[in-house]
Amino acid sequence: MSKNVNTGEYFITGDVACAEGALAAGCGFFGGYPITPATEVAEHIAARLPDLGGVYIQLEDEIAAIASVLGASWAGVKSMTATSGPGFSLMMENIGLGICTETPCVIVNIQRAGPSTGLPTLGAQGDMMQARWGSHGHYEIIALSPSSPQEIFYQTIEAFNLSEKYRLPVLIMSDEAIGHISERVIIPKARDIKLISRIKPKGKKNYFKPYQPEGHLGIPPMADIGEGYNLHITGLTHDHKGYPDMTPEGQEEMVNRLIKKIKDNRDDIIRTEDYRMDDAEIVIVSYGVSARSSLAAVDIARAQGIKAGLFRLITVWPFSELRIKELAKKIRGFVTVELNLGQIHLEVERAAGGNAPAFLVGHHGGTVISPETIVEALKNNF
Amino acid sequence: MKNSSLSNKHPLDELIRTDRIPHIWCPGCGVGTVFSSFLIALRESGIDLKNTVVVSGIGCSGRAAGYVKLDSFHTTHGRAIPFATGIKLANPDLNVIVFSGDGDLFAIGGNHFIHAARRNVDLTVICVNNFTYGMTGGQAAATTPSMAKTTTTPKGNSESPFNLPHLAYASGATYVARWTMLHARDLTEAIKEAILKRGFSFIEALAPCPTGYGRRNKEQPLQTLKIYQEKAIIKNGANPAEADIDFNKGIILGKFIDIKKPTWLDTYNSIYRPQDNSDIIDAA
């Protein structure tokens, strides 16, 4: 049995399940900084990782945490950090460095209510647009949102796989409720866990171009430090050799490539789940803890004769734009349920393109949304 | 004129990305000389260059990572040290060297510097100190001498500068030295020692920035070098507390600190896995 996969059945929190998922995925470096409600991820890793040959280090702040994670990844080790809103804000510049230098790593955000220090112990889903656009410049991102401890276990593995496959920081946008709820989590056997690692370069080392896209996915193979490739890696706009290219043409080429590798592979990246969607006339769009309330709301609504269904976003970014577009042509309308005042809601409205009305059930954060509130909204709006 | 002994090759070409030359450094700038000392030290140290990585932040000195023909990283402003920390802890077999400027390492990155020194992460940090933000055109830095004129202190700097060796020592560095780029051989020797030193080692290299700093303070490039020559007080083993930079009383140069302490990883391994010194999990 692999020591890193804790095969068995447990009653654990989402934060601990996240940590176990990371270890099962082969995470070997964790750069941490304590913050409620994400601290338990770091605590669990700090206890488990040394025995597995990895390193947990607590840095001086979240900026150092993410910087160390990027460095560790280039040293050839799967790396991650976990934080919440204030720390996530501090990480933004280096998330951009990770995007620009195509560095695989995983960043977990157990969201709490903001802005600023906000409600440290109480949940929200208010960082969804920050996840999408928080670092400067134009880029694509992958963000997942788990709805249970069991799911955050699998999503953490999936996040590592996606980050290694597409070479970028992958975000897990969870929330305090999922981070702190204790539920049954089944950790499978190591052989039943599929892991993906970065593609390594082949051919002559002198001619290696670290940003030359390859393969059907268009992802450049990644050499690690110390393998003899004399890599130069910079956050400046760069050419395929990795050398700075300060021209509008170079900028266009690089940014397009960073965007295309995600956009062109959306079908492979995006995961969603339908619940009672076959004949649904009103579609609830939700994710994370809010999707659990939404699931209950669908059943209550159905029992009252309302043809509701749930379209759950497991991958929030890239956004399921095409599916919303298709749905908009044949349903009565959308209700987006989220713990903010309308972030994904605006995406749904945009993608619906006026073909179906879109409503929001959301609030400022601090508590979860009850199924009854959602059912009420279904009745009031339709 | 033909002369078979002349070569187009520079003796350090093997360590330079010659396809990136000309470099960005201005005429009279001191970064290039420090960079040369660094490259000579790298070669003379005898370390395995394949397993050596150079990490820079942002700024004129931060461009060094772009010119050295080794694995090299040009990261974000101030964050070279934590980036380098991640590299070192993930693969302890690597020699990890940070080459950056005073603004990068001690203003925006100051917190990372003191913590990496406190932890005694096995890194070599080379700081080119030109007393200013050169890349952005000569603004006041955390190292700008009191009363010096910069674009953001037009009547003189009202603040006091850091004493970098003192800061490094107080934070826990195991090797601390200061030279100027004029003292190129001493500087090379010091960098070599720092590279071979196990533990957090720090070199401050004073270097002129005639474009950004010198011309506002009535210093021609050669005058700065003359000041380096005339005001230098070489005092190995000097108390870092006395090493504040004051050109009126003289600039203390030398090796100030060279002590032994377990590194971060030594201590981590001895506490957390005393039986087992297995390598870190490899992603590949």
Side-chain angles (χ1 to χ4, degrees):
Chain A
M1 192 186 88
S2 299
K3 266 171 74 185
N4 61 318
V5 182
N6 243 342
T7 308
E9 194 174 333
Y10 302 90
F11 186 66
I12 51 178
T13 64
D15 280 354
V16 171
C18 171
E20 285 295 340
L23 298 171
C27 173
F29 180 88
F30 190 105
Y33 190 83
I35 186 166
T36 305
T39 306
E40 294 91 332
V41 182
E43 287 174 338
H44 195 72
I45 296 258
R48 284 258 288 135
L49 197 48
D51 286 339
L52 305 173
V55 165
Y56 169 85
I57 180 171
Q58 188 165 304
L59 281 304
E60 52 274 15
D61 57 29
E62 289 92 341
I63 302 173
I66 178 67
S68 71
V69 164
L70 297 178
S73 180
W74 279 99
V77 173
K78 288 183 180 177
S79 307
M80 79 179 292
T81 186
T83 189
S84 189
F88 197 54
S89 293
L90 285 178
M91 289 183 187
M92 282 301 146
E93 187 191 10
N94 280 313
I95 289 176
L97 179 66
I99 297 285
C100 187
T101 55
E102 303 185 57
T103 308
C105 64
V106 173
I107 300 157
V108 180
N109 180 352
I110 310 291
Q111 295 171 84
R112 63 194 226 186
S116 191
T117 311
L119 303 173
T121 61
L122 300 173
Q125 295 172 305
D127 309 346
M128 301 311 295
M129 275 297 168
Q130 187 188 22
R132 178 64 189 87
W133 295 115
S135 197
H136 53 280
H138 203 110
Y139 57 92
E140 287 287 323
I141 195 82
I142 298 176
L144 314 176
S145 182
S147 291
S148 68
Q150 179 70 70
E151 194 171 41
I152 201 171
F153 171 82
Y154 278 118
Q155 275 195 10
T156 308
I157 297 170
E158 176 75 357
F160 272 104
N161 286 346
L162 287 166
S163 79
E164 294 281 324
K165 187 171 181 183
Y166 290 101
R167 284 194 58 184
L168 81 169
V170 171
L171 312 175
I172 296 175
M173 298 300 293
S174 189
D175 51 75
E176 185 274 339
I178 300 303
H180 281 165
I181 196 172
S182 287
E183 282 184 342
R184 188 173 77 145
V185 173
I186 294 167
I187 298 181
K189 291 190 174 113
R191 66 165 182 268
D192 294 328
I193 295 173
K194 187 183 164 238
L195 298 182
I196 296 174
S197 290
R198 58 195 72 173
I199 291 172
K200 305 300 299 177
K202 296 183 197 99
K204 286 192 175 156
K205 291 188 176 177
N206 285 344
Y207 298 101
F208 176 61
K209 290 184 177 172
Y211 293 111
Q212 178 86 52
E214 270 189 36
H216 67 288
L217 296 176
I219 311 298
M222 184 170 174
D224 300 334
I225 300 168
E227 290 183 336
Y229 287 93
N230 289 333
L231 299 168
H232 181 58
I233 305 301
T234 176
L236 285 168
T237 297
H238 47 263
D239 59 19
H240 289 180
K241 276 172 91 174
Y243 286 8
D245 180 349
M246 301 292 101
T247 63
E249 295 76 24
Q251 168 75 358
E252 185 183 346
E253 197 281 332
M254 186 191 79
V255 174
N256 272 347
R257 199 169 54 71
L258 297 178
I259 290 173
K260 249 174 81 72
K261 71 175 180 180
I262 304 304
K263 273 201 166 167
D264 290 358
N265 296 306
R266 274 182 298 197
D267 291 348
D268 179 53
I269 295 166
I270 296 176
R271 309 241 186 292
T272 60
E273 188 179 74
D274 286 4
Y275 181 67
R276 302 184 84 164
M277 282 285 286
D278 287 348
D279 61 341
E281 293 172 355
I282 304 168
V283 169
I284 298 175
V285 181
S286 193
Y287 54 93
V289 69
S290 300
R292 294 170 70 125
S293 311
S294 301
L295 190 89
V298 167
D299 288 344
I300 299 169
R302 286 269 176 177
Q304 296 177 14
I306 303 167
K307 285 189 168 174
L310 169 64
F311 178 52
R312 183 164 79 91
L313 307 175
I314 298 171
T315 312
V316 178
W317 304 115
F319 185 64
S320 298
E321 198 162 326
L322 298 178
R323 183 77 196 284
I324 298 288
K325 238 175 225 170
E326 280 166 24
L327 285 169
K329 289 177 198 155
K330 56 184 188 191
I331 62 163
R332 288 172 62 199
F334 294 100
V335 173
T336 302
V337 181
E338 54 185 341
L339 281 171
N340 59 53
L341 296 174
Q343 296 189 10
I344 299 302
H345 160 63
L346 288 179
E347 285 293 283
V348 172
E349 191 173 62
R350 181 180 62 77
N355 288 320
F359 301 95
L360 166 73
V361 176
H363 65 65
H364 310 75
T367 179
V368 296
I369 296 165
S370 74
E372 292 72 22
T373 309
I374 302 166
V375 174
E376 199 63 28
L378 298 182
K379 287 180 185 165
N380 290 343
N381 289 312
F382 295 97
Chain B
M1 189 183 77
K2 263 192 169 180
N3 184 335
S4 61
S5 69
L6 285 179
S7 162
N8 288 327
K9 267 177 76 75
H10 186 275
L12 291 170
D13 269 0
E14 276 170 31
L15 284 170
I16 294 172
R17 296 180 195 274
T18 49
D19 52 348
R20 289 215 57 214
I21 302 297
H23 55 67
I24 63 153
W25 296 319
C26 302
C29 168
V31 178
T33 314
V34 180
F35 186 58
S36 294
S37 288
F38 168 51
L39 297 183
I40 296 167
L42 268 178
R43 203 167 52 188
E44 289 185 355
S45 70
I47 56 167
D48 177 9
L49 294 177
K50 183 172 160 277
N51 274 321
T52 300
V53 51
V54 180
V55 185
S56 289
I58 296 297
C60 295
S61 307
R63 290 302 181 99
Y67 301 130
V68 63
K69 204 165 128 193
L70 299 173
D71 287 333
S72 54
F73 289 80
H74 181 226
T75 66
T76 40
H77 197 18
R79 318 305 170 197
I81 287 178
F83 195 100
T85 299
I87 294 173
K88 182 67 191 179
L89 302 189
N91 183 355
D93 294 337
L94 298 172
N95 308 300
V96 187
I97 300 160
V98 173
F99 189 108
S100 216
D102 51 303
D104 185 74
L105 288 167
F106 289 99
I108 190 167
N111 198 32
H112 307 309
F113 180 89
I114 60 173
H115 284 279
R118 172 182 66 80
R119 295 184 184 109
N120 197 25
V121 182
D122 185 12
L123 303 176
T124 302
V125 177
I126 300 164
C127 173
V128 180
N129 182 2
N130 58 11
F131 304 140
T132 193
Y133 286 91
M135 183 72 88
T136 46
Q139 294 73 37
T143 46
T144 304
S146 299
M147 288 315 294
K149 287 189 177 159
T150 71
T151 62
T152 49
T153 55
K155 292 184 175 180
N157 182 20
S158 58
E159 299 182 4
S160 303
F162 267 136
N163 170 347
L164 299 182
H166 194 207
L167 181 70
Y169 169 62
S171 305
T174 56
Y175 183 99
V176 180
R178 173 200 280 153
W179 294 98
T180 80
M181 47 69 79
L182 185 72
H183 301 79
R185 285 170 199 220
D186 300 289
L187 178 62
T188 305
E189 272 310 302
I191 296 174
K192 196 164 79 182
E193 278 189 9
I195 288 171
L196 294 170
K197 177 82 186 174
R198 208 157 178 283
F200 187 90
S201 47
F202 173 63
I203 307 275
E204 178 184 14
L206 302 186
C209 175
T211 309
Y213 182 83
R215 66 187 162 125
R216 295 193 177 85
N217 292 287
K218 299 191 167 53
E219 274 181 38
Q220 298 289 331
L222 280 175
Q223 278 176 309
T224 309
L225 302 196
K226 207 159 181 339
I227 293 169
Y228 286 167
Q229 186 183 29
E230 287 171 356
K231 297 288 183 181
I233 302 166
I234 296 174
K235 199 173 163 190
N236 288 313
N239 179 355
E242 296 165 6
D244 55 310
I245 289 184
D246 179 345
F247 285 101
N248 295 318
K249 72 174 190 188
I251 305 297
I252 299 178
L253 306 177
K255 177 165 79 175
F256 306 137
I257 302 295
D258 190 356
I259 54 173
K260 269 190 189 163
K261 259 198 308 195
T263 66
W264 189 93
L265 262 175
D266 292 339
T267 313
Y268 186 76
N269 286 338
S270 70
I271 296 171
Y272 286 93
R273 39 190 173 215
Q275 314 302 330
D276 171 38
N277 280 320
S278 65
D279 281 343
I280 198 157
I281 300 165
D282 199 311

